[in-house]
Amino acid sequence: MRATAPAATESFAAPVRTRLPVNTWRGRAVLFALLSLLAGLCALLSLAIGAQNIAFDEVWRALVAPESSDEHVIVRTLRVPRTLVGLAVGAALGLAGALIQGHTRNPIADPGLLGVSAGAAFGVVLSIYALDLRLPGGYVWFAFAGALAASVVVFLLGASGRGRSTPVTLALAGAAVSALLGALTSALVLLDPDSLDGFRFWAAGSLAGRGNDVLFPLLPFLLLGTVLAFANAPALNSLGLGEDVARTLGLHVGRARVTGVAAVTLLAGAAVAAAGPIGFLGLIVPHLARAATGPDHRSLLPASALLGASVLLLADVAGRLAAPPGELQVGIVLAAVGAPFFIHLIRRRRLVAL
Amino acid sequence: MPASPLSRLRSARLPALLLAAAVALAGCGPQDAGGATDTAPETGDSDSFPRVVQHELGETTIPERPERVVAVTDGGELASLLALGVEPVGFGKRNDPIRPWIEAAGGAEIESYDLAGTEVSFERIAAWKPDLLVVQAGFATKENLAQYSALAPTVVTSFIDWKDNLRQVSEATGTTEKAAELVAENEAAVEDAAKALSGSKGLKVQAITVFEGPEIYRLNDASPLGKLAPSLGLAPFPKAGTPGEAVDTVSLEKLADIDADVLLVQDFGDDGPYRALKEQEIWKRIPAVKTGKVIELSVEESEASYFDSVLTVPLNLQMLQDRLG
């Protein structure tokens, strides 16, 4: 009895204990200064560490006074674009994860729930199979279009039932559409295994070889998604009390849901188009962020973005050092590290009830 | 009743005779009937049956000189069979169109089924009524070897070394004399090539493949070219990172460290990733690129230089002479 009583109160009153006084603006300022510092540090690590050993002062010189030495070429043309893609993709996946967990009130929801990853994968396979495209730059729009299309179908299916679209119908529609697209993708891959080497690489998720040519066209969508996400934060806080309470508080539930789904689609769709399907990040990062900020989405969303960028870059750096003289793709690193970490998270503290 | 040595001998011989009769009946196509009667008396001591063949997954007893050999895979084992003059009754075709050296050795006239991207079809293999299966290591594993052996005695062949592959296939088919001839021919060809390349002593040659992704693939000292390099007087290829693998991955960041006088670039019919890499600044930092010593191999040359078999050794020697001489 004594063991269960405090736990019950905890989940009722405060789902997560927060160590920092984030309810004051001063506390929030300290927290975000720390998180920004962490993201900056990870970006520096990503610039400084790689398969090739380059002294830190040389890395610095490559950034501020570039010459045409081998080291400077590596930093400028390989590490800088890769770091930028990592920052953008990590932040987008962190945000999308926090949004989808908030909307579905499901602690194990991840951005792929809306069929985004499956849609992007199908778009890529279709482009290789039908159009014989072979370059990562060429996949981007097909991946993005696939992600958007899948998400729209999921939303329409989820909303087409007798009742309104609820998180549960969304999740069910997402699972169904993902399964269908996954089957179609496998069918195409099996039909033509030789020409799909490119897909196999894409499907593992990687930051390497994806540079500014991939990032810049997607940037407007990432920015729009971020704006929609932050605009959605107060509504998410109300929705956390339940739809009925939110409605009595004057929230337009349908509009809030559409905004959230649109933001997740844009963010996760652009991320998967840029770097391939990277798992676990959107699942784990919101849990880490929540431990620091508590359930208030106005803090949780930006914290998830900063932590997402940090974790993705750290995992990428680890992958660069894991298999010399080659590299391990970041999607594989996250899958290998993410699963045990997630289990640890669940075992250490009861999974938060959202 | 305990069997006497004599009766044990007799009982061992009887099933063998029955089996031989069954084989003769089963294989009553025109070319098989001739083969069965011609080869039996010629069997010398060194190639007598039953015999035990050591292979990649242990040892297998072959009771009779095989008449209906199936090459489960079309790797080095199919090349070995054709070079040894043993025509298989069928093979699993993973390469469509079939490799040029297989076609030149008569592989196009042999029955096959499509094995690209699918599982081995034990039904197809059984329909050929084989009395010997040769299968590349990897397709046969410790776990599924019993499935092959249930159809016929199975010899698992080396993927990485053509001499091992040839030894395994020749011992299983009773053609070790022919195998020795083939090895001698290839060794003579190596010596000739070494003479022709005597001007390139110590030349550092490396070969890479560019696929999609953050890395390139570099042939190591276990690759077909890497194994030829020392006997040709060329500098040794990089040591294999993983035993049994002919290629290792190299990060793009490490490209400028590729220490080669001549860089061979393989092309497997999709040069998109290579063209994209050539645009990158890091590519231009490779010493061999700076000196203009990059040689882009044709698809045919690339296939042969990636594929270790008794039939591709002469092709690879010819390629190196053409390209480096």
Side-chain angles (χ1 to χ4, degrees), chain A residues 126-211:
Chain A
L126 203 61
S127 76
I128 303 174
Y129 188 75
L131 304 173
D132 212 25
L133 278 175
R134 295 290 177 83
L135 290 174
Y139 303 151
V140 169
W141 297 116
F142 291 93
F144 195 50
L148 291 189
S151 184
V152 166
V153 169
V154 167
F155 194 76
L156 291 178
L157 273 180
S160 68
R162 273 177 295 126
R164 293 178 312 275
S165 131
T166 67
V168 176
T169 59
L170 266 186
L172 284 174
V177 168
S178 292
L180 174 68
L181 289 173
L184 289 174
T185 303
S186 308
L188 284 184
V189 171
L190 286 173
L191 273 177
D192 191 9
D194 285 341
S195 71
L196 288 165
D197 286 332
F199 171 72
R200 279 201 284 274
F201 165 66
W202 181 87
S206 172
L207 301 180
R210 321 281 169 92

Coordinates of all heavy atoms in Angstrom, one line a residue, chain A residues 126-211:
Chain A
L126 N 8.9 4.1 -55.7 CA 8.2 4.4 -56.9 C 9.0 5.2 -57.9 O 9.1 4.9 -59.1 CB 6.9 5.1 -56.6 CG 5.8 4.9 -57.6 CD1 5.4 3.4 -57.8 CD2 4.6 5.7 -57.2
S127 N 9.7 6.2 -57.4 CA 10.5 7.1 -58.2 C 11.7 6.3 -58.8 O 12.0 6.5 -60.0 CB 11.0 8.3 -57.5 OG 12.1 8.0 -56.6
I128 N 12.3 5.4 -58.1 CA 13.4 4.6 -58.6 C 12.9 3.6 -59.6 O 13.4 3.4 -60.7 CB 14.1 3.8 -57.5 CG1 14.7 4.8 -56.4 CG2 15.3 3.1 -58.0 CD1 15.3 4.1 -55.2
Y129 N 11.7 3.0 -59.2 CA 11.2 1.9 -60.1 C 10.6 2.4 -61.4 O 10.9 1.9 -62.4 CB 10.1 1.1 -59.3 CG 9.6 -0.1 -60.0 CD1 10.4 -1.2 -60.0 CD2 8.4 -0.1 -60.7 CE1 10.0 -2.4 -60.7 CE2 8.0 -1.3 -61.3 CZ 8.8 -2.4 -61.3 OH 8.4 -3.5 -61.9
A130 N 9.9 3.5 -61.3 CA 9.1 4.0 -62.5 C 10.0 4.9 -63.3 O 9.9 4.9 -64.5 CB 7.8 4.6 -62.1
L131 N 10.8 5.8 -62.6 CA 11.5 6.8 -63.4 C 13.0 6.5 -63.4 O 13.8 7.3 -64.0 CB 11.3 8.2 -62.7 CG 9.8 8.6 -62.6 CD1 9.7 9.8 -61.8 CD2 9.2 8.7 -64.0
D132 N 13.5 5.5 -62.7 CA 14.9 5.1 -62.8 C 15.8 6.2 -62.2 O 16.9 6.5 -62.7 CB 15.3 4.8 -64.2 CG 16.4 3.8 -64.2 OD1 16.5 3.0 -63.2 OD2 17.2 3.7 -65.2
L133 N 15.2 6.9 -61.2 CA 16.0 8.0 -60.5 C 17.0 7.3 -59.6 O 16.7 6.3 -58.9 CB 15.2 8.9 -59.7 CG 14.4 10.0 -60.4 CD1 13.5 10.7 -59.5 CD2 15.5 11.0 -61.0
R134 N 18.3 7.8 -59.5 CA 19.3 7.1 -58.7 C 20.0 8.0 -57.7 O 20.9 7.6 -57.0 CB 20.3 6.4 -59.6 CG 19.8 5.3 -60.4 CD 19.4 4.1 -59.6 NE 18.8 3.1 -60.4 CZ 19.5 2.2 -61.1 NH1 20.8 2.2 -61.1 NH2 18.9 1.3 -61.8
L135 N 19.7 9.3 -57.7 CA 20.5 10.2 -56.8 C 19.6 10.7 -55.6 O 18.5 11.0 -55.8 CB 21.0 11.4 -57.6 CG 22.0 11.0 -58.6 CD1 22.4 12.1 -59.5 CD2 23.3 10.4 -57.9
P136 N 20.3 10.8 -54.5 CA 19.6 11.3 -53.3 C 18.9 12.6 -53.5 O 17.7 12.8 -53.1 CB 20.7 11.5 -52.2 CG 21.9 11.0 -52.8 CD 21.7 10.6 -54.2
G137 N 19.5 13.5 -54.3 CA 18.8 14.8 -54.6 C 17.5 14.6 -55.3 O 16.6 15.3 -55.2
G138 N 17.5 13.5 -56.2 CA 16.3 13.2 -57.0 C 15.2 12.7 -56.1 O 14.0 12.8 -56.5
Y139 N 15.5 12.0 -55.0 CA 14.4 11.3 -54.2 C 13.6 12.4 -53.4 O 12.5 12.1 -53.1 CB 15.0 10.4 -53.2 CG 15.9 9.3 -53.7 CD1 16.9 8.8 -52.9 CD2 15.7 8.8 -55.0 CE1 17.7 7.8 -53.4 CE2 16.5 7.8 -55.4 CZ 17.5 7.3 -54.7 OH 18.3 6.3 -55.1
V140 N 14.2 13.5 -53.1 CA 13.6 14.4 -52.1 C 12.2 14.7 -52.3 O 11.3 14.4 -51.4 CB 14.4 15.7 -52.1 CG1 13.7 16.7 -51.2 CG2 15.8 15.5 -51.5
W141 N 11.8 15.1 -53.6 CA 10.4 15.5 -53.8 C 9.5 14.3 -53.8 O 8.3 14.5 -53.4 CB 10.3 16.3 -55.1 CG 11.1 17.6 -54.9 CD1 12.2 17.9 -55.6 CD2 10.9 18.6 -53.9 NE1 12.7 19.1 -55.2 CE2 11.9 19.6 -54.1 CE3 10.0 18.8 -52.9 CZ2 12.0 20.7 -53.3 CZ3 10.1 20.0 -52.2 CH2 11.1 20.9 -52.4
F142 N 10.0 13.2 -54.2 CA 9.1 12.0 -54.2 C 8.9 11.5 -52.8 O 7.7 11.2 -52.4 CB 9.7 10.9 -55.1 CG 9.7 11.2 -56.5 CD1 10.8 11.8 -57.1 CD2 8.6 10.9 -57.3 CE1 10.8 12.1 -58.5 CE2 8.5 11.3 -58.6 CZ 9.7 11.8 -59.2
A143 N 9.9 11.6 -52.0 CA 9.7 11.2 -50.6 C 8.8 12.2 -49.9 O 7.9 11.8 -49.2 CB 11.1 11.3 -49.9
F144 N 9.0 13.5 -50.1 CA 8.1 14.5 -49.5 C 6.7 14.4 -50.0 O 5.7 14.4 -49.2 CB 8.7 15.9 -49.8 CG 8.1 17.0 -48.9 CD1 8.1 16.8 -47.6 CD2 7.6 18.1 -49.5 CE1 7.6 17.8 -46.7 CE2 7.1 19.1 -48.7 CZ 7.1 19.0 -47.3
A145 N 6.5 14.2 -51.3 CA 5.1 14.0 -51.8 C 4.5 12.8 -51.2 O 3.3 12.8 -50.8 CB 5.2 13.9 -53.3
G146 N 5.2 11.7 -51.1 CA 4.7 10.5 -50.6 C 4.3 10.7 -49.1 O 3.2 10.2 -48.7
A147 N 5.1 11.4 -48.3 CA 4.8 11.6 -46.9 C 3.5 12.4 -46.8 O 2.6 12.1 -46.0 CB 6.0 12.3 -46.3
L148 N 3.4 13.5 -47.6 CA 2.2 14.4 -47.5 C 1.0 13.6 -47.9 O 0.0 13.6 -47.2 CB 2.4 15.6 -48.5 CG 3.4 16.6 -48.1 CD1 3.3 17.8 -49.1 CD2 3.3 17.1 -46.7
A149 N 1.1 12.9 -49.1 CA -0.1 12.1 -49.5 C -0.6 11.1 -48.5 O -1.8 11.0 -48.2 CB 0.2 11.4 -50.9
A150 N 0.4 10.4 -47.9 CA 0.0 9.3 -47.0 C -0.7 10.0 -45.8 O -1.7 9.5 -45.3 CB 1.3 8.6 -46.5
S151 N -0.1 11.1 -45.3 CA -0.7 11.8 -44.1 C -2.1 12.3 -44.4 O -3.0 12.2 -43.5 CB 0.3 12.9 -43.8 OG -0.1 13.5 -42.6
V152 N -2.3 12.9 -45.6 CA -3.6 13.4 -45.9 C -4.6 12.2 -46.0 O -5.7 12.3 -45.4 CB -3.6 14.1 -47.3 CG1 -5.0 14.3 -47.8 CG2 -2.8 15.4 -47.2
V153 N -4.2 11.1 -46.6 CA -5.1 9.9 -46.6 C -5.4 9.5 -45.2 O -6.6 9.2 -44.9 CB -4.5 8.8 -47.5 CG1 -5.3 7.5 -47.3 CG2 -4.4 9.2 -48.9
V154 N -4.4 9.4 -44.4 CA -4.7 8.9 -43.0 C -5.6 9.9 -42.3 O -6.6 9.4 -41.6 CB -3.3 8.9 -42.2 CG1 -3.6 8.8 -40.7 CG2 -2.5 7.7 -42.7
F155 N -5.4 11.2 -42.5 CA -6.3 12.1 -41.8 C -7.8 12.0 -42.3 O -8.7 12.0 -41.6 CB -5.8 13.6 -42.0 CG -6.5 14.5 -41.1 CD1 -6.1 14.6 -39.8 CD2 -7.5 15.4 -41.6 CE1 -6.7 15.5 -38.9 CE2 -8.1 16.3 -40.7 CZ -7.7 16.3 -39.4
L156 N -7.9 11.9 -43.7 CA -9.3 11.7 -44.2 C -9.9 10.5 -43.8 O -11.1 10.4 -43.4 CB -9.2 11.8 -45.8 CG -8.8 13.1 -46.4 CD1 -8.7 13.0 -47.9 CD2 -9.8 14.2 -45.9
L157 N -9.2 9.4 -43.8 CA -9.7 8.1 -43.3 C -10.1 8.2 -41.8 O -11.2 7.7 -41.4 CB -8.7 7.0 -43.4 CG -8.6 6.2 -44.8 CD1 -7.5 5.2 -44.7 CD2 -9.9 5.6 -45.1
G158 N -9.2 8.8 -41.0 CA -9.5 8.9 -39.6 C -10.7 9.8 -39.3 O -11.4 9.6 -38.3
A159 N -11.0 10.7 -40.2 CA -12.1 11.7 -40.0 C -13.4 11.2 -40.6 O -14.5 11.8 -40.4 CB -11.8 13.0 -40.5
S160 N -13.3 10.1 -41.4 CA -14.5 9.7 -42.3 C -15.5 8.8 -41.5 O -16.5 8.5 -42.1 CB -14.0 9.1 -43.6 OG -13.5 7.8 -43.2
G161 N -15.1 8.4 -40.3 CA -16.0 7.5 -39.6 C -17.3 8.2 -39.2 O -17.6 9.3 -39.6
R162 N -18.0 7.5 -38.3 CA -19.3 8.1 -37.8 C -19.0 9.3 -37.0 O -19.6 10.4 -37.2 CB -20.1 7.0 -37.1 CG -21.0 6.2 -38.0 CD -21.7 5.1 -37.2 NE -20.8 4.2 -36.6 CZ -20.7 3.8 -35.4 NH1 -21.5 4.4 -34.5 NH2 -19.9 2.9 -34.9
G163 N -18.1 9.1 -36.0 CA -17.8 10.3 -35.1 C -16.8 11.2 -35.7 O -16.5 11.2 -36.9
R164 N -16.3 12.1 -34.9 CA -15.2 13.0 -35.4 C -13.9 12.3 -35.5 O -13.8 11.1 -35.0 CB -15.1 14.2 -34.4 CG -16.2 15.1 -34.3 CD -16.0 16.2 -33.3 NE -15.5 15.6 -32.0 CZ -16.2 15.1 -31.1 NH1 -17.6 15.2 -31.2 NH2 -15.8 14.6 -30.0
S165 N -12.9 12.9 -36.0 CA -11.6 12.3 -36.0 C -11.1 12.4 -34.6 O -11.0 13.5 -34.0 CB -10.7 13.1 -37.0 OG -9.5 13.4 -36.4
T166 N -10.8 11.3 -34.0 CA -10.2 11.3 -32.7 C -8.7 10.7 -32.8 O -8.4 10.1 -33.9 CB -11.0 10.4 -31.8 OG1 -10.8 9.0 -32.2 CG2 -12.4 10.7 -31.8
P167 N -7.9 10.9 -31.8 CA -6.6 10.3 -31.9 C -6.6 8.8 -32.2 O -5.7 8.3 -32.9 CB -6.0 10.6 -30.5 CG -6.7 11.8 -30.0 CD -8.1 11.7 -30.6
V168 N -7.6 8.1 -31.6 CA -7.6 6.7 -31.8 C -7.9 6.3 -33.3 O -7.2 5.5 -33.9 CB -8.7 6.0 -30.9 CG1 -8.7 4.5 -31.2 CG2 -8.3 6.3 -29.5
T169 N -8.9 7.0 -33.9 CA -9.1 6.7 -35.3 C -8.0 7.1 -36.2 O -7.6 6.4 -37.2 CB -10.4 7.4 -35.8 OG1 -10.2 8.8 -35.6 CG2 -11.6 7.0 -35.0
L170 N -7.3 8.2 -35.8 CA -6.1 8.6 -36.5 C -5.0 7.5 -36.5 O -4.4 7.2 -37.5 CB -5.5 9.9 -36.0 CG -5.9 11.2 -36.6 CD1 -5.1 12.3 -35.9 CD2 -5.7 11.2 -38.1
A171 N -4.8 7.0 -35.3 CA -3.7 6.0 -35.1 C -4.1 4.7 -35.9 O -3.2 4.1 -36.5 CB -3.5 5.7 -33.6
L172 N -5.4 4.4 -35.8 CA -5.8 3.2 -36.6 C -5.6 3.4 -38.1 O -5.1 2.5 -38.8 CB -7.3 2.9 -36.3 CG -7.5 2.2 -34.9 CD1 -9.0 2.1 -34.6 CD2 -6.8 0.9 -34.8
A173 N -6.1 4.5 -38.6 CA -5.9 4.8 -40.0 C -4.4 4.8 -40.4 O -4.0 4.3 -41.4 CB -6.6 6.1 -40.4
G174 N -3.6 5.4 -39.5 CA -2.2 5.5 -39.7 C -1.6 4.1 -39.8 O -0.8 3.8 -40.7
A175 N -2.0 3.2 -38.9 CA -1.4 1.8 -38.9 C -1.8 1.1 -40.2 O -1.0 0.4 -40.8 CB -1.9 1.1 -37.7
A176 N -3.1 1.3 -40.6 CA -3.6 0.6 -41.8 C -2.9 1.1 -43.0 O -2.4 0.3 -43.9 CB -5.1 0.8 -41.9
V177 N -2.8 2.4 -43.2 CA -2.1 3.0 -44.4 C -0.6 2.6 -44.4 O -0.1 2.2 -45.5 CB -2.3 4.5 -44.4 CG1 -1.4 5.1 -45.5 CG2 -3.8 4.8 -44.7
S178 N 0.0 2.7 -43.2 CA 1.4 2.3 -43.2 C 1.6 0.8 -43.6 O 2.6 0.5 -44.3 CB 2.0 2.5 -41.7 OG 2.0 3.8 -41.4
A179 N 0.8 0.0 -43.1 CA 0.9 -1.5 -43.5 C 0.7 -1.7 -45.0 O 1.5 -2.4 -45.6 CB -0.2 -2.3 -42.7
L180 N -0.3 -1.0 -45.5 CA -0.5 -1.1 -47.0 C 0.7 -0.6 -47.8 O 1.2 -1.3 -48.7 CB -1.8 -0.3 -47.4 CG -2.1 -0.3 -48.9 CD1 -2.5 -1.6 -49.4 CD2 -3.2 0.8 -49.2
L181 N 1.2 0.6 -47.4 CA 2.3 1.2 -48.2 C 3.5 0.3 -48.0 O 4.3 0.1 -48.9 CB 2.5 2.6 -47.7 CG 1.5 3.6 -48.1 CD1 1.7 5.0 -47.5 CD2 1.5 3.7 -49.6
G182 N 3.7 -0.2 -46.8 CA 4.9 -1.1 -46.5 C 4.8 -2.3 -47.4 O 5.8 -2.7 -48.0
A183 N 3.6 -2.9 -47.6 CA 3.5 -4.1 -48.4 C 3.8 -3.7 -49.9 O 4.5 -4.5 -50.6 CB 2.1 -4.6 -48.3
L184 N 3.3 -2.6 -50.3 CA 3.5 -2.2 -51.7 C 5.0 -1.9 -51.9 O 5.6 -2.3 -53.0 CB 2.7 -0.9 -52.0 CG 1.2 -1.1 -52.2 CD1 0.5 0.2 -52.3 CD2 0.9 -2.0 -53.3
T185 N 5.6 -1.3 -50.9 CA 7.1 -1.0 -51.1 C 7.9 -2.3 -51.2 O 8.7 -2.5 -52.0 CB 7.6 -0.2 -49.8 OG1 6.8 1.0 -49.7 CG2 9.0 0.2 -50.0
S186 N 7.6 -3.3 -50.3 CA 8.2 -4.6 -50.3 C 8.0 -5.2 -51.7 O 9.0 -5.8 -52.2 CB 7.7 -5.5 -49.2 OG 7.8 -4.9 -48.0
A187 N 6.8 -5.1 -52.2 CA 6.5 -5.8 -53.5 C 7.4 -5.2 -54.6 O 8.0 -6.0 -55.3 CB 5.0 -5.6 -53.8
L188 N 7.5 -3.9 -54.6 CA 8.4 -3.3 -55.7 C 9.8 -3.6 -55.5 O 10.5 -3.9 -56.4 CB 8.2 -1.8 -55.6 CG 6.9 -1.2 -56.2 CD1 6.9 0.3 -56.3 CD2 6.7 -1.8 -57.6
V189 N 10.3 -3.6 -54.2 CA 11.7 -4.0 -53.9 C 12.0 -5.4 -54.4 O 13.0 -5.7 -54.9 CB 12.0 -3.8 -52.4 CG1 13.4 -4.3 -52.1 CG2 11.9 -2.3 -52.1
L190 N 11.0 -6.3 -54.1 CA 11.3 -7.7 -54.5 C 11.2 -7.9 -56.0 O 11.9 -8.8 -56.5 CB 10.2 -8.6 -53.8 CG 10.5 -8.8 -52.3 CD1 9.4 -9.5 -51.6 CD2 11.8 -9.5 -52.0
L191 N 10.4 -7.1 -56.6 CA 10.3 -7.2 -58.1 C 11.6 -6.9 -58.8 O 11.9 -7.5 -59.8 CB 9.2 -6.3 -58.6 CG 7.8 -6.8 -58.6 CD1 6.8 -5.7 -59.1 CD2 7.7 -8.0 -59.5
D192 N 12.3 -5.9 -58.2 CA 13.5 -5.4 -58.9 C 14.6 -5.2 -58.0 O 15.0 -4.0 -57.7 CB 13.1 -4.1 -59.7 CG 14.2 -3.7 -60.6 OD1 15.1 -4.5 -60.8 OD2 14.1 -2.6 -61.2
P193 N 15.2 -6.2 -57.4 CA 16.1 -6.0 -56.3 C 17.4 -5.3 -56.7 O 18.0 -4.6 -56.0 CB 16.4 -7.4 -55.8 CG 16.1 -8.3 -56.9 CD 15.0 -7.6 -57.7
D194 N 17.8 -5.5 -58.0 CA 19.1 -5.0 -58.4 C 19.1 -3.5 -58.4 O 20.1 -2.8 -58.1 CB 19.5 -5.6 -59.8 CG 20.0 -7.0 -59.6 OD1 20.3 -7.4 -58.5 OD2 20.0 -7.7 -60.6
S195 N 18.0 -2.9 -58.9 CA 18.0 -1.5 -59.1 C 17.7 -0.7 -57.9 O 17.6 0.5 -57.9 CB 17.0 -1.1 -60.3 OG 15.7 -1.3 -59.8
L196 N 17.5 -1.4 -56.8 CA 17.0 -0.7 -55.6 C 18.1 -0.6 -54.5 O 17.8 -0.4 -53.3 CB 15.8 -1.4 -55.0 CG 14.6 -1.1 -56.0 CD1 13.4 -2.0 -55.7 CD2 14.1 0.3 -55.9
D197 N 19.4 -0.7 -54.9 CA 20.4 -0.5 -53.9 C 20.3 0.9 -53.3 O 20.5 1.1 -52.1 CB 21.8 -0.6 -54.6 CG 22.1 -2.0 -54.9 OD1 21.7 -2.9 -54.1 OD2 22.9 -2.3 -55.8
G198 N 19.9 1.9 -54.1 CA 19.8 3.2 -53.7 C 18.7 3.3 -52.6 O 18.9 4.0 -51.6
F199 N 17.6 2.6 -52.8 CA 16.6 2.6 -51.8 C 17.1 2.0 -50.5 O 16.8 2.5 -49.4 CB 15.4 1.8 -52.3 CG 14.3 1.6 -51.2 CD1 13.6 2.7 -50.8 CD2 14.1 0.4 -50.6 CE1 12.6 2.6 -49.8 CE2 13.2 0.3 -49.6 CZ 12.4 1.3 -49.2
R200 N 17.8 0.9 -50.6 CA 18.3 0.3 -49.3 C 19.1 1.2 -48.5 O 19.0 1.3 -47.3 CB 19.1 -1.0 -49.7 CG 18.2 -2.2 -49.9 CD 18.9 -3.5 -49.8 NE 19.8 -3.7 -50.9 CZ 19.4 -4.3 -52.0 NH1 18.1 -4.7 -52.1 NH2 20.2 -4.5 -53.0
F201 N 20.0 2.0 -49.2 CA 20.8 3.0 -48.5 C 19.9 4.1 -47.9 O 20.0 4.4 -46.7 CB 21.8 3.6 -49.4 CG 22.4 4.9 -48.8 CD1 23.2 4.8 -47.7 CD2 22.2 6.1 -49.4 CE1 23.7 5.9 -47.2 CE2 22.7 7.2 -48.9 CZ 23.5 7.2 -47.7
W202 N 18.9 4.6 -48.7 CA 18.0 5.6 -48.2 C 17.3 5.1 -47.0 O 17.1 5.9 -46.1 CB 17.1 6.0 -49.4 CG 16.1 7.1 -49.0 CD1 16.3 8.4 -49.1 CD2 14.8 6.9 -48.5 NE1 15.2 9.1 -48.7 CE2 14.3 8.2 -48.3 CE3 14.0 5.8 -48.1 CZ2 13.0 8.4 -47.7 CZ3 12.8 6.0 -47.6 CH2 12.3 7.3 -47.4
A203 N 16.8 3.9 -47.1 CA 15.9 3.4 -46.0 C 16.6 3.2 -44.7 O 16.0 3.1 -43.6 CB 15.3 2.0 -46.4
A204 N 17.9 3.3 -44.6 CA 18.6 3.1 -43.4 C 18.7 4.5 -42.6 O 18.9 4.5 -41.4 CB 20.1 2.6 -43.6
G205 N 18.5 5.6 -43.3 CA 18.6 6.9 -42.7 C 20.0 7.4 -42.4 O 20.8 6.7 -41.7
S206 N 20.4 8.5 -43.1 CA 21.7 8.9 -43.0 C 21.8 10.4 -43.2 O 21.0 11.0 -43.9 CB 22.6 8.2 -44.0 OG 23.9 8.8 -44.0
L207 N 22.8 11.1 -42.6 CA 23.1 12.5 -42.8 C 24.2 12.7 -43.8 O 24.3 13.7 -44.4 CB 23.5 13.2 -41.5 CG 22.5 13.1 -40.4 CD1 23.0 13.8 -39.1 CD2 21.2 13.7 -40.8
A208 N 25.0 11.6 -44.0 CA 26.2 11.8 -44.9 C 25.7 11.8 -46.3 O 24.7 11.2 -46.7 CB 27.1 10.6 -44.7
G209 N 26.4 12.6 -47.1 CA 26.0 12.7 -48.6 C 24.8 13.5 -48.8 O 24.3 13.6 -49.9
R210 N 24.1 14.0 -47.7 CA 22.9 14.8 -47.9 C 23.4 16.2 -47.5 O 23.7 16.5 -46.4 CB 21.8 14.4 -47.0 CG 21.6 12.9 -46.8 CD 20.9 12.3 -48.0 NE 20.9 10.9 -48.0 CZ 20.0 10.1 -47.4 NH1 19.0 10.6 -46.8 NH2 20.1 8.8 -47.5
G211 N 23.4 17.1 -48.5 CA 24.0 18.4 -48.2 C 23.0 19.5 -48.4 O 21.8 19.3 -48.3

